[in-house]
Amino acid sequence: MTTPSHRRRSRPRRHTAPLAAVAVAAVALVVSLAVAFRPGGGTNDAPDAAKAVVGARTSAPPTPGTPAPSGSPSPSAGSASPTARTSASPSATADATPSAAARAKATTATAPKTSTTGSLAGRIRPGTTYRGVATSYDSNGDGACLFGPSSDVMNAAMNTADYETAKACGAFVAVHAGGKSITVRITNECPAPCQPGQLDLSQQAFAKLAPLSAGRIAITWNLVSPATAGTISIRYKTGSSQYWCGVQAIGHRNPVARLEVRTGGGWKRLERTAYNYFLSEQGAGCGAAIRLTDIYGQQLTVDGIAVKPNVVQSTSAQFARH
């Protein structure tokens, strides 16, 4: 009796399971059809949304003011570095006693200038070709810029108009004549009768373009930012103290447009003399931090330069190439 009864109870369960499966399948079919025919529907919605988010992140514009990688100053921005004693230019080391305390850091300019503009430049501007004549003189590397004698005599004296109260001092220019080219550094001034556009080259430099017997040759020349420049040095003028000082930058790759010293009220810009020193007549900032700005707007801040008259003190700083 128990066996037939057991078989009777099992039959409804065998019929109920197929019915439930059919019902579930029907519901699934209706749902899938609704999803398939929904406007914009499809199984790839989630991946597409993820792709859109990723694309938005990777293509976002850079933060305003972010400097290009290739445009950063040699020293790392905002960092201090030890004095570079071995890489100063020859003229900067003629009477050098480098300061072990000198430190330098590079900071980006508030409004960086492009290498084709150089809006802080004077008469000598980047990207401009000048025409004139070249003459020659016997040079020991020294001159009106007061850098001092040097074993490197590939230099030149700039005519008074383009010398522009020492703004040309330390500038590197490429000189071209008769299919030949040389690079010289401006260390001197050539007064009248030198005319605008004229360069008075050292005899060694002139001889690379033409025989000295030529006397006077037609040239073109332009400002350059060389790859071989060492690091910048600072020198206080003879007689400097905490009450009066003259400050000079030596060995800069690009022409210096401004020199400032830190004071209790902020940065004070010093006036440049025709003999290439920046003067603090009342002693403001003498011995404090120094900030240099080149004609492209790059700024270098140098700390740890003591007031040691007529002593060349090396730094690890240098302007970037343009």
Side-chain angles (χ1 to χ4, degrees):
M1 295 297 292
T2 57
T3 303
S5 174
H6 175 72
R7 282 198 291 268
R8 281 196 297 271
R9 284 195 300 270
S10 66
R11 285 179 190 139
R13 284 200 296 270
R14 284 198 299 268
H15 289 293
T16 300
L19 290 174
V22 170
V24 171
V27 172
L29 177 61
V30 171
V31 172
S32 64
L33 289 174
V35 172
F37 288 99
R38 175 174 57 85
T43 58
N44 291 328
D45 285 357
D48 288 344
K51 291 177 183 176
V53 172
V54 172
R57 283 198 294 266
T58 57
S59 60
T63 303
T66 301
S70 61
S72 58
S74 301
S76 301
S79 63
S81 53
T83 301
R85 296 185 177 84
T86 59
S87 55
S89 60
S91 62
T93 57
D95 58 346
T97 305
S99 169
R103 302 181 304 279
K105 64 180 180 179
T107 57
T108 56
T110 303
K113 308 299 185 296
T114 64
S115 60
T116 57
T117 303
S119 62
L120 293 176
R123 288 176 57 90
I124 303 175
R125 303 180 62 82
T128 301
T129 298
Y130 299 85
R131 297 183 180 277
V133 297
T135 49
S136 67
Y137 75 108
D138 186 11
S139 170
N140 65 353
D142 200 4
C145 296
L146 296 186
F147 289 135
S150 171
S151 59
D152 179 6
V153 289
M154 288 296 291
N155 51 65
M158 180 65 71
N159 66 85
T160 297
D162 295 322
Y163 183 79
E164 200 178 2
T165 316
K167 285 185 179 179
C169 283
F172 289 87
V173 296
V175 187
H176 317 280
K180 299 178 181 179
S181 296
I182 59 171
T183 297
V184 294
R185 186 168 68 118
I186 303 303
T187 62
N188 206 351
E189 177 183 9
C190 184
C194 278
Q195 300 297 312
Q198 183 172 347
L199 294 177
D200 202 20
L201 302 175
S202 68
Q203 292 180 350
Q204 292 85 342
F206 189 98
K208 292 181 180 295
L209 298 176
L212 291 178
S213 58
R216 185 182 182 95
I217 58 174
I219 59 169
T220 60
W221 55 272
N222 57 278
L223 185 68
V224 294
S225 180
T228 56
T231 56
I232 294 173
S233 296
I234 300 294
R235 175 165 52 197
Y236 278 98
K237 195 178 186 306
T238 301
S240 292
S241 69
Q242 61 179 317
Y243 306 107
W244 178 95
C245 65
V247 190
Q248 179 188 57
I250 304 171
H252 40 88
R253 172 181 279 126
N254 306 321
V256 172
R258 288 197 298 258
L259 188 149
E260 301 163 283
V261 291
R262 192 190 298 278
T263 66
W267 290 102
K268 177 180 175 59
R269 181 176 177 179
L270 302 186
E271 292 298 320
R272 191 176 205 159
T273 66
Y275 52 88
N276 196 35
Y277 274 87
F278 295 81
L279 297 187
S280 178
E281 297 281 5
Q282 306 303 320
C286 294
I290 298 169
R291 185 166 71 182
L292 303 172
T293 305
D294 72 2
I295 63 172
Y296 302 101
Q298 296 180 89
Q299 291 184 333
L300 300 174
T301 301
V302 182
D303 296 299
I305 302 294
V307 181
K308 297 180 179 180
N310 201 31
V311 174
V312 176
Q313 301 183 63
S314 300
T315 78
S316 58
Q318 183 56 272
F319 294 120
R321 290 191 68 197
H322 279 266

